[in-house]
Amino acid sequence: MPYEYENYDPSFPDQPVVDLYLPVWARLPAFHSKPVFIWAQDLHTTTQLTYQQLNATVHLISSQLQGPMQRGDTVLLLCSPGLDLVELIFGCQRAGLLSVPIVPPHPSFSKQNYHHLIRAISQTKPKAAIAHSHYISSIRHYLSSPHNNTKLAHMLQNIHWISIDQVKQGKDTVIVNDRDSLTYSGCKADEVYLVQYTSGATGIPKPVLVTTGSAAHNVRAARKAYDLHPNSTIVSWLPQYHDCGLMFLLLTIVSGATCVLTSPNAFIKRPRLWLELLSEFKATCTPVPSFTLPLVIKRGGIHQGDLPINLSPLKNLIIINEPIYRDSVEEFVHTFSPFGLSPSSISPSYGLAENCTFVSTAWRSGHSDNNGAFSDFPTHNKLLPVARLGNVEQEDVEIIVVNEETLEPAEDGVEGEIWVASPSNASGYLGHPSLTREVFHGRLRNMVSKCFLRTGDKGIVKGEKRYLFVTGRCQDVMELQNGQKVHPHYTETAAYNSCSKLLRGGCVAAFKVSETVVVVAEMQRLKKDVDRVLLKRVCEGIKEGVSKKEKVEVGWVVLVKSECVPKTTSGKLQRRKCKKKLLAGQMVILMEIRFGKDVTVFKRAQNVRDEVWEEMGYVNSSLSCAETGSSLISRL
């Protein structure tokens, strides 16, 4: 779907709020019929919104919400991915409301899937919740039926429920004032308009307070970095509730682009859908987590389907979710180069919720070396860089690597924590003042400096162009008995490569239990039972492969059924949660082997018990009263 909007002015003045771009685009004659968002249920079932339609619907939603709600009220958005959710996010901003988009749990609440909902209600104290009418009916049915969760029921009863159909009534007759931008009454630049939860990769998801001004700065920076404009077409299947998936909605509006959306479930169910959407809509930009690349090679059905794959229009294949391995990217480029994929489109990038999303990318437009950008990227310990600090185009953004112990800038070539100072930095965590001070107000020791966001990510700067490499998470680092500190993703990669045909990619977790390095690996779904001799060989192969490749001695290998290893909605491993599930006996174990000799088995089991119970919030619990006590001894 090529567009040629020659009347686009790259020097169009920036707006303080993303929503202010929408009426400007909607008034341009060339944009009246231009799609802003297209929802693809599948390749042949699509629904679209033009800029004019979206602006009118957002105006209607805003006016409807201003009746039951007051400016500054908090509203929970319990809506499945789709165009309704997009409209609500912008409608709440224009109404001056604080929105909290979260994944709506199944209204039966029978599978322990409601904990994040309880967390969100407890922390944000919403006045209302907006959902589809059928979802609200299910909620009311749950409340009128016998149930055991009185806490959840009490919370749901105290919320004013608003149906999406209700706020969109009269959609066809709404008239939008052309002077909207002059009489704007929505969220101002310094006001918090969004609570964005972190992914929960290293702990409980935290509520990040995002102002409209920081969000606008963030997507303007991303627009410039990726060279997006009204002729750009974006394809995204990322979750729309937080992080990259949500911010790409704003990025589309700021750029005047067209964005084709589909759900994460649709992609996971049939990865080829992503390739088909890229080809059908002649996409120029797409953001994907790093695990997407090997997954699509393995399950993408490259030579199946009626639609030929054509990736030649793609300018930006934005790869997120650190770490980004060069080998997997090279394999993807090699596989899809015959389908038109240009190596120069590879855009390894870095971001996090505490900075709205976008922080940096190693890709740059308009540079002579960009024709062979991927081949020119250096490598550090198998990883690709995510920024060029020696070529910073944003003067108001500063990225440094800091020694965590001395709080002084680390020298290039020395690993430390990545700190970011930017107008995109969020305001802090809702209800966590001490953690906000620690994370969002980092200061260099013995220096008069600005406030930095402490990202919690490890990084290293190398080379003349000062490439930044994200090497892992600070909290995930494993310290071995010899004092060596290793990032678990290297162990996980070596473990997976030891038997890639039987293990699930991206579903291998490594962590420490006491002094033992543990590897938990999901097996592929198999049609018949696997011989225990083969499973034993897989376990031994994992130990041998990790030892050979990474010089790390694994003491405990656990093979589990598919979907046992917990991950975030954006596909990040939750290693701490995996550890808790394993020690609590909540995994379907197919085979486990403990290597080495345990001299003090009972003492180790007791230490493990104490450790996991402390993390779960319990103290002074004995082995005899802990339900998992016996299983811990048997497992260790």
Side-chain angles (χ1 to χ4, degrees), residues 35 46 72 78 104 115 127 210 250 277 279 323 408 436 562 593 598 636:
T46 61
L78 285 167
H115 297 297
K127 181 177 180 180
V210 180
L250 310 185
L277 294 177
S279 304
E408 297 173 343
T436 294
S562 177
I593 295 183
D598 295 330
L636 291 167

Side-chain angles (χ1 to χ4, degrees), residues 27 35 214 256 302 328 443 450 553:
R27 284 195 296 268
S214 61
I302 300 172
S328 64
R443 298 277 189 178
K450 61 187 78 175
E553 293 303 319

Side-chain angles (χ1 to χ4, degrees), residues 64 123 172 178 218 269-270 310 330 345 348 354 431 450 452 458 471 508 521 568 574 597:
Q64 293 282 66
Q123 293 176 337
D172 297 332
D178 281 347
N218 196 252
K269 184 177 180 180
R270 196 172 72 87
N310 179 16
E330 276 186 338
S345 68
E354 288 85 348
K450 61 187 78 175
F452 285 88
K458 287 277 196 177
T471 54
V508 180
T568 69
Q574 294 176 299
K597 296 181 180 180

Side-chain angles (χ1 to χ4, degrees), residues 399-549:
I399 305 172
I400 59 175
V401 175
V402 176
N403 184 305
E404 298 165 75
E405 296 180 359
T406 66
L407 299 183
E408 297 173 343
E411 296 182 0
D412 286 4
V414 178
E415 189 178 78
E417 184 183 13
I418 301 172
W419 288 19
V420 179
S422 167
S424 293
N425 290 167
S427 301
Y429 297 121
L430 175 64
H432 295 276
S434 59
L435 189 59
T436 294
R437 285 192 298 272
E438 179 184 346
V439 174
F440 290 87
H441 300 277
R443 298 277 189 178
L444 296 173
R445 181 169 293 169
N446 300 325
M447 293 180 65
V448 178
S449 70
K450 61 187 78 175
C451 279
F452 285 88
L453 165 67
R454 301 186 62 167
T455 67
D457 290 313
K458 287 277 196 177
I460 190 170
V461 178
K462 299 186 72 175
E464 292 183 5
K465 293 184 179 180
R466 306 196 69 235
Y467 280 98
L468 172 68
F469 299 83
V470 178
T471 54
R473 296 286 295 174
C474 297
Q475 292 185 29
D476 286 337
V477 173
M478 301 186 297
E479 185 170 357
L480 306 183
Q481 288 180 306
N482 61 3
Q484 179 188 3
K485 294 182 179 180
V486 298
H487 292 287
H489 60 81
Y490 289 113
T491 299
E492 293 157 357
T493 301
Y496 171 73
N497 289 336
S498 70
C499 190
S500 59
K501 291 183 178 180
L502 292 178
L503 301 179
R504 293 190 71 200
C507 300
V508 180
F511 46 83
K512 279 185 61 182
V513 172
S514 295
E515 298 301 321
T516 302
V517 175
V518 182
V519 171
V520 178
E522 284 188 12
M523 296 291 292
Q524 292 276 7
R525 293 187 181 92
L526 301 171
K527 295 181 180 179
K528 58 182 180 179
D529 293 337
V530 180
D531 187 272
R532 290 184 62 83
V533 175
L534 177 59
L535 293 177
K536 185 181 180 212
R537 289 176 183 171
V538 173
C539 291
E540 292 170 343
I542 287 175
K543 174 179 171 56
E544 182 180 348
V546 173
S547 177
K548 184 177 179 180
K549 291 290 185 180

Side-chain angles (χ1 to χ4, degrees), residues 18 22 36-37 39 51 54 82-83 85-90 101 193 219 234 236 238-257 259-261 287:
V18 173
L22 189 51
V36 53
F37 293 109
W39 177 256
Y51 273 88
L54 178 60
L83 297 183
L85 179 57
V86 175
E87 293 169 334
L88 287 174
I89 289 172
F90 286 101
Y193 88 103
V219 292
I234 302 163
S236 172
L238 299 178
Q240 300 166 18
Y241 304 97
H242 61 86
D243 252 1
C244 193
L246 192 153
M247 286 301 160
F248 254 87
L249 305 180
L250 310 185
L251 181 56
T252 299
I253 299 296
V254 167
S255 306
C259 184
V260 182
L261 300 166

Side-chain angles (χ1 to χ4, degrees), residues 255-285:
S255 306
T258 293
C259 184
V260 182
L261 300 166
T262 192
S263 73
N265 287 339
F267 165 75
I268 295 299
K269 184 177 180 180
R270 196 172 72 87
R272 196 182 199 274
L273 176 62
W274 174 59
L275 299 173
E276 293 172 349
L277 294 177
L278 293 175
S279 304
E280 175 70 14
F281 292 96
K282 297 179 172 59
T284 61
C285 175

Side-chain angles (χ1 to χ4, degrees), residues 574-591:
Q574 294 176 299
R575 297 181 180 93
R576 289 197 169 197
K577 189 173 181 180
C578 182
K579 176 178 176 179
K580 289 180 181 179
K581 284 185 65 176
L582 174 65
L583 297 179
Q586 296 172 351
M587 287 187 167
V588 182
I589 297 177
L590 302 176
M591 168 70 75

